[in-house]
Amino acid sequence: MSYPVTVATCALNQWALDFDGNYDRICQSIIESKRRGATLRVGSELEIPGYGCYDHFLENDTALHSWQVLVKLLSNKDLHDILIDTGMPVIHKNNRYNCRVFILNGKVIFIRPKLYMANDGNYRELRWFRPWEKRLQVEKFILPKIVQDITNQTTVMFGDALIDTADTCIGVELCEELFTPESPHIAMSLDGAEIILNSSGSHHELRKLSRRIELIREATLKSGGVYLYANQQGCDGDRLYYDGSAMVLCNGDVLAIGKQFSVKDVDVVVATVDLDDVRVFRTSKSSRGIQASNSSSYPRIETPFSLGNPKLQNSLPLICPTPPKAQLGLHTPEQEINLGPACWLWDYLRRSGTGGFFLPLSGGIDSCATAMIVYSMCNLVVEATQSGDEQVISDVRRVTETPESENYIPSDPRELANRIFHTCYLGTSNSGTETRERAKALAEAIGSYHTDLNMDTVVESILSLFKLVTGKQPKYQVYGGSATENLALQNIQARLRMLLSYLFASLLSWVRGRSKSLLVLGSANVDECLRGYLTKYDCSSADINPIGGISKTDLRSYIQYSSKHFSFLCLEDFLNATPTAELVPTTEGYVQSDEIEMGMTYSELSAFGRLRKVGMCGPYYMFRKLACKWGGYYTPAEIAQKVKRFFFYYSINRHKMTTITPAYHAESYSPDDNRFDLRPFLYNAKWTMQFREIDEAVKNYTLTDQVSTLQPAF
Ligand SMILES: Nc1ncnc2c1ncn2[C@@H]1O[C@H](COP(=O)(O)OP(=O)(O)OC[C@H]2O[C@@H]([n+]3cccc(C(=O)O)c3)[C@H](O)[C@@H]2O)[C@@H](O)[C@H]1O
Ligand SMILES: Nc1ncnc2c1ncn2[C@@H]1O[C@H](COP(=O)(O)OP(=O)(O)OP(=O)(O)O)[C@@H](O)[C@H]1O
Ligand SMILES: NC(=O)CC[C@H](N)C(=O)O
């Protein structure tokens, strides 16, 4: 029989290398945990320096400053009487490890290095850390002098062990370790660990949270036990958004879960658990018992501290009869698009020291989605200021350059948008009135500071200069010009938009009597980047892009969702319009259209994108997969042609990904060349051997060369 235990886990908005800010947020979370009765508090992975320090982990400075922060945590008496699990890099025997450091009442009690590193996609932990390979072994670690001086300890145990308190047993499973086939929670649970702590640095991807929950549910359904999941939250200086969702589970049930998206800096999730539930769950399973009696024994770190609270013994039924199952509140992908990039933008804005955003607003879906995300950000910020969040209030005043003395607290998202969000329609003679009107209507709906201009004179003066120097005048194709002339004429307009955007972004605040410049927002989506259907260094070259990791299909669904969610009727017009660049004159016989020009639909592009990156397919395997998937609709020869066309355009345009604007990472098939999808950018676009193999394969498909009218599955 044990006393009820109140545990706390948290999501902290850490910022890489912001040691002072990170310390403050850690302290706040511990004090909040104590206030709510917790005796155990777990924080996110590498929370002291911040998860996203990347190559700064190679600097000794990062380890040194982490120890200095730990010394401050150890010396702070307000943080006593609670077992604290915090995270930092630790160098042991000249190897750097990604560690959990346990502290209690001013002493270090144990250091647990990570066993299995995250090293795929955005993760490169093996570049900075070594995995601890000595399973179920510990060694003595000599504490740095600054720690020895305040704790009067010389050494502490370091390695793969469990912590025995006076009333229970605790084990650590560090982020990626949960995702491995041989997750440590299995051996630890069999050896009696009743509470498993998982500290994560896990970023958002559309549709990903449910995977985490499923894994933890399954872990605790099979092994029983209490599972505390902590995660970082927010943008810590990169394209990633860490999506919080700290949670507590017991025997397969979610007892409590924090917000996935929030502009709050510190989110503490607390639950009171009955360890007897774990004991009953485990002892009632005979097969588990047989495995447990044969399991290997972990070294134990002993502490006389008790987690249980005798005062709760009699009130437990009142506190958690069986603890109430939290509403999971899982978001749809459309809600994730609405909230994730919005929180990321807010962190980026307040941390960059700039005064707002500038967006070239075309009247098309993509820049409309970017605008709606900024509007969603304004809604989140207003919600937080109205609930009295001091941090958000002070950030808003700084960003808007409003003196403290004015006591500005935004109460209307449109009013806030008008202060910080600037949209601009940059028209030419090729622009249609519909796009111009749509841009204006949207700006009105969201309250942005909107400018509408015509830049024909600038385009013409550039062309006059060209004519003066070369004596030649390029013509559009519809007027008899060549494809080369046609492209050059389009690209002048596209690039001038970028130039004007940066000019307005640096001076619009000044025009309005303020001084800070604005961040230029981009709106190139993941599919057009993949196909290279954009002009290098045009408006795709912005400072940051909230939708660069999102597919056109998801963006359309997002606009559909927003039109209902925000009750903006004007968004319907965006959905009904044909996507067009409006870079060439419209004539009776010709209207520029994205999908026709690209030679493929946006849905096809998403399918190619997923198979290329997630399915790890080169041209030949992509053809084979699609021949199965689309076989009933297209002939093998048509599929072959589509695959070859995709790879041709992908490879001739790959160079554009080397300079693409940093975008919010949202999609597992992102082609971002800078961090996520490392590839050559000078290809032989003929793919001779690969395409030959596809052609050979097409011949073998002749017997099944039947098509139906079924829609292909994307
Ligand atoms: N392998 C390589 N490595 C490095 N650079 C390479 C390169 N191959 C070409 N280049 C260079 O890349 C440049 C050509 O690329 P770029 O200037 O982008 O021009 P480009 O890709 O030729 O044309 C832009 C395309 O985007 C389309 N588009 C559609 C809708 C909207 C917009 C818009 O902007 O609003 C644009 C437009 O219709 C056209 O098909 C040249 O300077 C060329 O020298
Ligand atoms: N007339 C315009 N006024 C302002 N910005 C424009 C205009 N045309 C294009 N842009 C900017 O250039 C970007 C790329 O233009 P493009 O025509 O390729 O649009 P897109 O990527 O399909 O996006 P959208 O759906 O917003 O038109 C747009 O997202 C927008 O930011
Ligand atoms: N930091 C980590 O270990 C994270 C890896 C893990 N696969 C995740 O995305 O959550």
Side-chain angles (χ1 to χ4, degrees):
M1 138 97 206
S2 62
Y3 296 124
V5 174
T6 304
V7 291
T9 172
C10 44
L12 303 187
N13 196 323
Q14 302 301 71
W15 188 7
L17 302 171
D18 177 25
F19 290 96
D20 289 335
N22 293 349
Y23 167 77
D24 289 342
R25 286 178 283 268
I26 292 170
C27 280
Q28 273 183 48
S29 72
I30 299 170
I31 288 167
E32 168 76 2
S33 305
K34 279 181 67 178
R35 192 187 62 74
R36 292 166 67 184
T39 45
L40 170 66
R41 172 268 182 201
V42 52
S44 57
E45 187 171 11
L46 294 164
E47 65 178 344
I48 293 183
Y51 184 78
C53 295
Y54 299 108
D55 280 3
H56 288 287
F57 283 123
L58 301 174
E59 298 163 359
N60 274 346
D61 306 48
T62 306
L64 168 72
H65 298 321
S66 298
W67 280 113
Q68 288 166 331
V69 170
L70 192 82
V71 164
K72 280 170 69 179
L73 292 170
L74 287 162
S75 325
N76 187 340
K77 293 225 163 43
D78 291 341
L79 313 183
H80 280 194
D81 303 321
I82 180 165
L83 179 58
I84 298 165
D85 170 5
T86 187
M88 58 182 264
V90 175
I91 297 169
H92 174 58
K93 292 187 177 172
N94 310 122
N95 265 345
R96 189 180 310 98
Y97 296 97
N98 170 351
C99 291
R100 303 310 302 165
V101 180
F102 286 84
I103 61 173
L104 174 66
N105 293 335
K107 302 264 187 216
V108 183
I109 68 163
F110 174 47
I111 302 180
R112 159 57 155 81
K114 191 167 183 174
L115 311 179
Y116 308 117
M117 298 296 146
N119 217 50
D120 317 299
N122 285 301
Y123 295 104
R124 292 182 180 75
E125 290 185 356
L126 284 171
R127 190 176 160 109
W128 314 297
F129 302 108
R130 300 289 154 256
W132 180 254
E133 307 256 2
K134 299 179 187 173
R135 292 298 309 274
L136 280 67
Q137 290 176 53
V138 283
E139 292 176 354
K140 274 191 183 161
F141 172 81
I142 303 172
L143 289 162
K145 185 75 175 57
I146 50 168
V147 179
Q148 292 184 19
D149 287 347
I150 56 148
T151 62
N152 295 319
Q153 300 169 282
T154 319
T155 60
V156 65
M157 295 318 268
F158 183 103
D160 187 17
L162 303 180
I163 298 177
D164 271 345
T165 64
D167 50 355
T168 187
C169 177
I170 301 170
V172 168
E173 176 156 275
L174 229 170
C175 198
E176 178 72 5
E177 294 170 13
L178 166 68
F179 293 77
T180 55
E182 209 190 313
S183 296
H185 70 255
I186 302 172
M188 294 191 301
S189 303
L190 290 174
D191 195 35
E194 294 178 333
I195 303 179
I196 308 286
L197 309 181
N198 185 318
S199 310
S200 281
S202 184
H203 65 264
H204 175 231
E205 246 173 39
L206 296 177
R207 309 167 175 90
K208 179 176 168 190
L209 175 60
S210 55
R211 208 167 84 226
R212 284 185 207 131
I213 297 178
E214 273 167 32
L215 285 173
I216 303 176
R217 253 197 180 144
E218 186 179 319
T220 55
L221 264 178
K222 272 195 185 168
S223 300
V226 176
Y227 203 105
L228 270 65
Y229 178 85
N231 193 11
Q232 200 169 284
Q233 180 137 27
C235 161
D236 79 345
D238 181 61
R239 295 161 174 77
L240 308 182
Y241 177 80
Y242 298 90
D243 56 337
S245 319
M247 56 188 131
V248 182
L249 285 89
C250 182
N251 300 343
D253 289 333
V254 180
L255 305 186
I257 183 164
K259 282 202 167 172
Q260 187 181 13
F261 306 108
S262 162
V263 292
K264 214 167 136 190
D265 271 358
V266 176
D267 189 26
V268 178
V269 172
V270 169
T272 299
V273 294
D274 184 350
L275 292 176
D276 284 331
D277 288 348
V278 175
R279 290 164 196 167
V280 168
F281 185 97
R282 286 183 179 173
T283 48
S284 64
K285 295 213 173 348
S286 162
S287 52
R288 183 214 156 265
I290 295 166
Q291 290 189 347
S293 61
N294 267 320
S295 69
S296 308
S297 295
Y298 275 79
R300 297 309 224 247
I301 309 297
E302 287 177 21
T303 166
F305 187 69
S306 289
L307 298 189
N309 183 350
K311 285 192 208 138
L312 290 180
Q313 189 188 4
N314 296 326
S315 54
L316 181 65
L318 296 176
I319 293 165
C320 42
T322 36
K325 286 177 197 152
Q327 291 287 325
L328 286 190
L330 283 181
H331 296 295
T332 61
E334 292 78 18
Q335 290 169 324
E336 290 186 80
I337 295 172
N338 192 42
L339 299 171
C343 293
W344 181 78
L345 279 182
W346 176 243
D347 282 341
Y348 204 101
L349 176 61
R350 69 196 179 113
R351 288 176 169 166
S352 67
T354 49
F357 297 117
F358 177 89
L359 173 69
L361 190 62
S362 68
I365 286 275
D366 297 341
S367 47
C368 166
T370 299
M372 288 311 299
I373 287 169
V374 177
Y375 181 67
S376 162
M377 181 199 88
C378 293
N379 277 270
L380 290 170
V381 169
V382 167
E383 237 171 69
T385 56
Q386 289 302 300
S387 70
D389 188 319
E390 288 299 328
Q391 182 64 50
V392 180
I393 292 173
S394 95
D395 287 335
V396 166
R397 288 183 185 158
R398 208 165 30 81
V399 169
T400 55
E401 300 181 66
T402 317
E404 291 280 324
S405 55
E406 280 187 26
N407 291 329
Y408 171 58
I409 298 182
S411 56
D412 171 11
R414 292 186 73 249
E415 184 276 333
L416 176 62
N418 192 266
R419 289 189 190 225
I420 60 175
F421 189 29
H422 304 73
T423 48
C424 181
Y425 186 82
L426 297 145
T428 67
S429 52
N430 297 323
S431 307
T433 44
E434 293 86 357
T435 49
R436 177 169 251 132
E437 287 306 318
R438 282 201 296 270
K440 194 165 156 228
L442 177 62
E444 257 168 38
I446 61 181
S448 63
Y449 183 95
H450 189 64
T451 317
D452 184 327
L453 58 85
N454 213 310
M455 55 180 210
D456 282 328
T457 48
V458 193
V459 177
E460 271 149 30
S461 66
I462 301 254
L463 283 174
S464 321
L465 176 71
F466 183 80
K467 193 177 169 196
L468 187 74
V469 175
T470 62
K472 298 273 238 177
Q473 171 122 32
K475 279 199 271 232
Y476 287 109
Q477 219 158 3
V478 285
Y479 301 141
S482 64
T484 310
E485 290 164 71
N486 203 46
L487 261 187
L489 286 173
Q490 293 184 57
N491 291 349
I492 292 175
Q493 302 160 62
R495 289 204 180 90
L496 277 177
R497 286 197 176 115
M498 188 271 283
L499 194 91
L500 290 175
S501 296
Y502 276 91
L503 174 70
F504 277 74
S506 55
L507 289 179
L508 264 188
S509 287
W510 168 75
V511 169
R512 302 180 73 191
R514 296 189 227 139
S515 63
K516 291 182 173 183
S517 73
L518 307 171
L519 288 166
V520 179
L521 293 181
S523 310
N525 66 59
V526 74
D527 296 322
E528 59 197 13
C529 287
L530 194 59
R531 158 64 174 72
Y533 189 62
L534 54 96
T535 303
K536 204 176 184 180
Y537 304 116
D538 74 341
C539 275
S540 54
S541 301
D543 291 317
I544 47 173
N545 177 357
I547 65 156
I550 302 173
S551 75
K552 186 83 166 187
T553 322
D554 282 340
L555 288 172
R556 284 187 64 84
S557 317
Y558 169 57
I559 297 303
Q560 230 143 22
Y561 158 83
S562 297
S563 112
K564 293 201 182 73
H565 180 69
F566 294 109
S567 306
F568 286 168
L569 276 181
C570 64
L571 293 181
E572 294 297 327
D573 297 336
F574 284 80
L575 288 165
N576 296 331
T578 307
T580 166
E582 294 193 324
L583 289 169
V584 297
T586 298
T587 60
E588 273 213 359
Y590 181 76
V591 181
Q592 196 175 23
S593 144
D594 286 9
E595 292 189 332
I596 292 171
E597 271 199 351
M598 288 195 296
M600 55 197 82
T601 64
Y602 279 111
S603 311
E604 286 170 350
L605 255 176
S606 290
F608 297 139
R610 255 175 237 290
L611 283 174
R612 184 196 70 101
K613 177 77 182 166
V614 186
M616 317 275 176
C617 289
Y620 176 70
Y621 277 99
M622 187 181 293
F623 165 74
R624 281 185 39 167
K625 291 258 177 217
L626 288 177
C628 291
K629 243 179 146 179
W630 295 352
Y633 188 72
Y634 296 120
T635 64
E638 282 170 332
I639 296 169
Q641 192 198 23
K642 281 175 188 288
V643 170
K644 290 197 280 184
R645 188 184 298 137
F646 166 71
F647 272 98
F648 171 74
Y649 282 113
Y650 158 75
S651 53
I652 63 165
N653 284 315
R654 179 70 200 188
H655 64 95
K656 294 181 185 173
M657 290 304 96
T658 61
T659 56
I660 200 70
T661 297
Y664 179 95
H665 175 92
E667 190 52 88
S668 51
Y669 75 89
S670 161
D672 169 39
D673 187 66
N674 300 294
R675 301 275 165 103
F676 183 63
D677 183 42
L678 311 183
R679 312 262 173 160
F681 53 93
L682 177 61
Y683 284 92
N684 179 347
K686 294 196 179 78
W687 300 86
T688 48
M689 177 153 183
Q690 294 87 337
F691 287 3
R692 199 169 55 239
E693 287 300 315
I694 292 178
D695 292 339
E696 282 301 312
V698 168
K699 288 182 201 157
N700 298 330
Y701 275 100
T702 44
L703 284 178
T704 54
D705 201 354
Q706 298 286 324
V707 294
S708 77
T709 49
L710 289 172
Q711 283 299 315
F714 289 103

